[in-house]
Amino acid sequence: MRGHADEQHTPAPRAGSRTVGRLAALVVLALLAWRYPFAFGAAAVLAGVLFMHEFGHFAAARAVGMKVTDFFLGFGPRLWSFRRGETAYGLRVLPLGAYVRVIGMSSSDAVEPGDDHRAYRNKSYPRRLLVVCAGSLMHLVMALVAYVVLHAALGAPALEEGRWQVAEVMSQRDGVTLPAAIAGISAGDRIVGVNGTVTEDWDVFVSEVQSRPGERVLLEIERDGALLNLETTLAADPETGRGLLGVRAGQAITYETAGLPTAIARGFGDLSGAIVDSVRGIWSLFVNFGDVIDRIVSPPGDPTANENLGMRPLGVVGIVDLASDASWGWSERVLMFAMVNVFLGVFNMLPVPPFDGGHVAIATYERWRERGGRGRYLSDPRALAPVVAVVVTALVLLAVGLLYLDIANPIDL
C-alpha cells in the first residue's frame, strides 16, 4: 500500500527533481572539462581504468555462471540506466570509478530462491579465485598493452648520457622578459648551436649565452629529428649584466621503437619488472611508514618533503601534475599509465579486506577449512567488519594526506 501511495502522489516532483539534478550535474561536468581540460581528461582516464577493473570482475563472473545484478559507471545519483536480461547497466553522476554487484558475495547476502547455484559463495574455489582476481588481471593486461604500444609505436624513453634538452621555457626572471618563449623554443627542443658554436654540452651553452647580453644570436634547434634555425635577441640580467635566454635544462631523452615481436617481448619484460618494483614499493611504504607520515605532515614549501624522490609517495593530484608537465610527451604519459596500472593491480591484491586480495584470503581460508571432505564452509563476514573499518579509514586518511602533500609540496622535476 505504501508503494502504491507513492506512485499515486509523488512521481512528478521526484521525476522533476531528478531531471534538475541530472542537468545540474552535466553542466558542472561540462564547466570542469572546459576550465580544466587536462585534469578532467586525467580524471576520465582514471575512471576508465577503474571501469575496466570492474569489467574484469563482471566478465569473469558471467563466464563462470554467477549472477550479476548491477554494473554502473560512476557513483552518486543515477543519470541514466537500462536493464538487459538480469543486469542493470547505467551511469551515475560522479565519474570516479565503477561497481559490479555479484549475488552471494558473503554468507549473509540474501539470495532469491532458485539463484543459489549462481551465487558467488556456492561456486568452486578456482571459480571464486578467478572472479576476485580478474580486476587486478585487467590492470596487468592494460599495462601490457600500453608497454607494447610504447615500444612498437611511440618509442620507449631512454636517457642520453652527456646531452641535454630544454625542460622548461620561462617567460620572465626578476621582472626581465626572456626571449626563449618569444623565439618559439619549446620543451623537448635541443639547442645544439649558438652562432655556430656547438652547445651539446650545457656548460658551453651557458657560457655562450651569458657572454652575449643584448646580442642577436642564431640558435640551431633539433626538434623531432629535424634541424631548424631561430634568431632572437638575448636579454640581459640587470644584476650581473650577463646574457639570458630563459630555458631550464633537463637530461636529453631518446625514443626507440621496435618491431611488434620485439615490442611484445619487451612489454612482458617491462611488466615483470614493474610488478617487482611495485611489490618493493609497497613493502618500502610499510617499512618506512614513519618517513611517509613525516612527509605528509610537512609544512608547505618544506624542502625535505621531496628529498629522495624514490621514497616520495604520489597521490592522484601528483600524478596528474607530472603527466601535465610541458616536457612530457605521449611516451612518458603512456609509460606512467602502465606503471600506475601495475601498481593498482598489485596493491589491490593485498590479503586484507576490502581489497580483492582479502577475498582471495577468505576463499583460501574457507577452502582450507573444507579439507578432508568436511563440506562447504562459509566464513562469517561480521567477524571481519572491524578489519574492514580500520583498512578503509587508513586508506581515506592516506588519500587525504597525499592530496595535501601533492598540493603543499609538489614535485618539481
Side-chain angles (χ1 to χ4, degrees), residues 55-400:
F55 179 77
H57 292 307
F58 170 80
R62 293 289 294 269
V64 301
M66 296 181 189
K67 184 176 181 179
V68 182
T69 59
D70 295 279
F71 189 178
F72 276 79
L73 175 61
F75 299 101
R78 183 180 303 187
L79 285 173
W80 169 79
S81 67
F82 68 94
R83 178 172 293 277
R84 177 168 295 175
E86 62 192 13
T87 307
Y89 304 85
L91 300 174
R92 294 184 182 271
V93 170
L94 301 176
L96 302 177
Y99 73 91
V100 167
R101 182 177 182 273
V102 179
I103 66 170
M105 283 296 293
S106 73
S107 58
S108 62
D109 287 349
V111 176
E112 295 181 1
D115 283 339
D116 282 342
H117 67 290
R118 303 187 62 196
Y120 167 88
R121 64 189 178 215
N122 292 327
K123 293 295 182 179
S124 66
Y125 174 66
R127 284 179 168 82
R128 281 178 283 152
L129 283 190
L130 174 62
V131 171
V132 296
C133 292
S136 286
L137 290 175
M138 186 61 75
H139 285 299
L140 299 185
V141 169
M142 288 189 288
L144 178 61
V145 171
Y147 281 129
V148 172
V149 170
L150 180 69
H151 287 288
L154 299 175
L159 299 180
E160 284 191 71
E161 294 297 331
R163 297 195 67 188
W164 66 279
Q165 67 185 38
V166 177
E168 181 184 1
V169 178
M170 298 171 284
S171 59
Q172 284 195 339
R173 175 179 170 181
D174 298 330
V176 177
T177 300
L178 302 176
I182 300 174
I185 298 173
S186 302
D189 286 349
R190 300 182 183 184
I191 305 177
V192 297
V194 177
N195 280 357
T197 300
V198 177
T199 56
E200 292 188 358
D201 183 275
W202 172 250
D203 291 335
V204 173
F205 168 77
V206 171
S207 176
E208 284 295 314
V209 170
Q210 289 183 347
S211 65
R212 302 175 183 274
E215 292 186 22
R216 191 160 187 82
V217 295
L218 177 66
L219 305 175
E220 295 178 63
I221 307 292
E222 183 180 313
R223 179 183 296 169
D224 298 329
L227 289 175
L228 62 150
N229 295 324
L230 296 177
E231 283 191 293
T232 189
T233 300
L234 298 176
D237 189 320
E239 295 183 3
T240 65
R242 294 174 178 175
L244 293 174
L245 179 61
V247 297
R248 184 171 64 86
Q251 180 71 55
I253 299 174
T254 187
Y255 301 89
E256 180 183 355
T257 57
L260 185 58
T262 302
I264 293 174
R266 291 179 179 177
F268 274 104
D270 289 345
L271 180 64
S272 300
I275 291 173
V276 172
D277 289 342
S278 294
V279 172
R280 289 174 176 169
I282 293 170
W283 175 253
S284 179
L285 175 67
F286 286 106
V287 171
N288 301 284
F289 196 68
D291 178 67
V292 173
I293 296 299
D294 287 341
R295 293 171 187 260
I296 288 177
V297 300
S298 59
D302 186 350
T304 63
N306 292 328
E307 290 180 352
N308 186 9
L309 291 180
M311 292 296 300
R312 166 50 159 100
L314 280 176
V316 175
V317 171
I319 292 173
V320 172
D321 281 346
L322 285 181
S324 61
D325 190 281
S327 64
W328 276 36
W330 283 109
S331 291
E332 288 81 5
R333 291 173 182 136
V334 169
L335 181 60
M336 172 168 278
F337 173 83
M339 294 171 65
V340 168
N341 266 289
V342 173
F343 181 82
L344 290 176
V346 173
F347 192 76
N348 191 56
M349 293 310 295
L350 289 175
V352 290
F355 296 116
D356 289 341
H359 289 293
V360 171
I362 293 171
T364 302
Y365 172 71
E366 291 176 343
R367 184 70 180 88
W368 179 77
R369 290 293 298 265
E370 296 165 4
R371 70 192 188 283
R374 298 179 183 179
R376 184 74 176 94
Y377 175 82
L378 295 175
S379 59
D380 185 357
R382 293 172 296 182
L384 295 174
V387 176
V388 173
V390 170
V391 173
V392 170
T393 301
L395 286 175
V396 171
L397 292 177
L398 180 61
V400 173

